[in-house]
Amino acid sequence: MEPIPSQCDVVVIGGGPAGSVAATLLAQKGRTVTLLEKQQHPRYMVGESLIPDFWKYTDLIGASRKIEAEGFIAKAGGLINWNNQPRAHNFKDFGYTRPALHVERDRFDYILLNHARSEGVQVFEEVTVTGVNTQRDADGHISVAYRANANKSSGSIACRYVVDASGQSSVVGRQLGLREIDENFRFMSVWGYFENSRYFGYDGQAYTADRLADVQPTTYVTSIEDTDDAGWCWHIMLRASASVGLVLPLHRMKEAKGENEDWEAFFLRKIGATPILSDLLRDAAYIPGSLHMTRDYSYRLQRIAGPGYFLVGDAGGFVDPIFSVGCVMSFYAAYAGAWAVDRCLSQPEAEEAVQALFARQVEGRLEIARSLALPRYRAEGQASDLARSALQLQRSQVQELMQVVSTLTTRSENFDAMLTEAGGPGGAAVKYKRFERLNVN
Amino acid sequence: MQHNIDQVLIDHIKQEFMFDRENGGLTADTLLIQDGIIDSLGIFMLISFIEDQYGIKLQPEDVVLDNFETVAAIRQLVELRSG
């Protein structure tokens, strides 16, 4: 293996989707890019549902064919059962021509990281970033300190910019003390995997797993009763299993769990007590040891760009994942970040303006996501202006899709007002399908 | 001058953003954002283009619908920042 270089234009921290896309775009612009990833890919990751917007990013970096060749599951749409009002929507109704996918993220992320490599990014795995020195030296360099896990050797790279795509580790954000947990939306998630689960098609009918080849699945979301709009579950069919997760406010999760109950038992009990979802899992087998959890979100960063650094993907903020926009938000920030780094490298004197431009656009998108996904969340002051401005820059059909999505749960009540202020489509669009009830035979 | 900037922008948008579709009808008043000709990524490419082409610097708050809704709007932005 080649040695880690001591100097380059840009260091990207993290080889998830945001890091791979940002690094690839910068390499394609002719910049020298070193990407440091602390794990060895393929590695496990959650967040398996992708809305079809992601294709335009994989088109841009030239990775779409590789993703198509993998044969991930195309989904038919979303089926949201909120307070016993099941409704389904699909993306075709809003001008999308390519499918939303359910992906095993170890594979999806691996494809993108390998693509980065093939486009000239120097990728080093099992290398942990231990700190970033954003003080510029006389030559205008900042530095990134790392430790190689294999031989415990350490070193540092002098570079002009750092793109932090380290996910929830949020390396730069934590180091600079920029990360803030949103106390009003302090959620926790527990999830696991099941073999042989049934799933819902877009017709609202349940199918057995062996029908996946001929009936596309929906992403199924259900609210959890008596949690004041905060609790919900996901059910996502993958090729060999179903990903099933539970999201609750941290305090409710702790209240609900028995004192001597382990997390696995708690998870299975809670899922088993969720109507309809438990029917889908009636003949399914939980895969032992497949339990995962994450706590303490949502969070935001006080700022997402500063002298020498840009924060993209989950390193720049995390919102409740209910509408499957995580990867696409990450790609957007990665694209904007790569654009901004490239502009700054060409015109160092414009750094401040470019960073402010990046931050306004990306923050605006994050605010839209918060308004849609967090119960009774209201963007205020500048955040509200940025969100409105970002909404106005979306094509009409995407605004319409967001409006429909906002009516599917009771979490987005402030979104409609924002959309109206932004001059978006008036009146309630009814491009969704309503079901009286869902039955699992 | 005005007509000139419009034409440069129209040619650029046709070439970069509409190469794969019918583009004969693009005028200075065609809605670029609402109709999806320029998406949220295209905006960044367009910013680079007009800054480099006209030697101007946009302000962070310039990147709003009012300034990018049509070719005519972009031209006014270019003129404002050239001033």
Side-chain angles (χ1 to χ4, degrees), chain A residues 44-46 189-193 267 286 289-294:
Chain A
Y44 173 77
M45 182 58 65
V46 73
S189 181
V190 186
W191 67 95
Y193 294 81
F267 170 69
Y286 167 71
S290 67
L291 197 82
H292 293 82
M293 62 180 79
T294 181

Side-chain angles (χ1 to χ4, degrees), chain A residues 339 343 347 361 365 396, chain B residues 34 40 44 48 51-52 63:
Chain A
W339 174 86
R343 294 300 281 176
Q347 306 167 351
Q361 297 302 317
R365 293 281 284 255
S396 308
Chain B
Q34 285 94 325
S40 44
F44 287 104
S48 297
E51 284 193 345
D52 296 345
V63 187

Side-chain angles (χ1 to χ4, degrees), chain A residues 25 33 55 89 91-92 113 127 172 240 244 278 292 367 411:
Chain A
L25 287 166
V33 186
W55 290 107
H89 70 284
F91 294 97
K92 281 188 201 127
L113 184 61
V127 175
V172 173
V244 178
S278 59
H292 293 82
E367 281 300 319
R411 292 181 140 202

Side-chain angles (χ1 to χ4, degrees), chain A residues 56-57 60 332 335-336 339 343 347 350 353 356-357 360-361 365 389 392-393 395-396, chain B residues 33-36 39-41 43-45 47-48 51-52 57-58 60-61 63-65:
Chain A
K56 70 183 172 193
Y57 300 90
L60 266 174
Y332 173 73
Y335 177 87
W339 174 86
R343 294 300 281 176
Q347 306 167 351
L357 200 161
R360 287 178 71 94
Q361 297 302 317
R365 293 281 284 255
S389 170
Q392 289 175 330
L393 289 173
R395 69 185 160 95
S396 308
Chain B
I33 306 286
Q34 285 94 325
D35 293 350
D39 65 9
S40 44
L41 310 188
I43 288 249
F44 287 104
M45 299 183 216
I47 294 167
S48 297
E51 284 193 345
D52 296 345
K57 288 272 176 280
L58 297 189
E61 57 275 15
V63 187
V64 292
L65 179 66

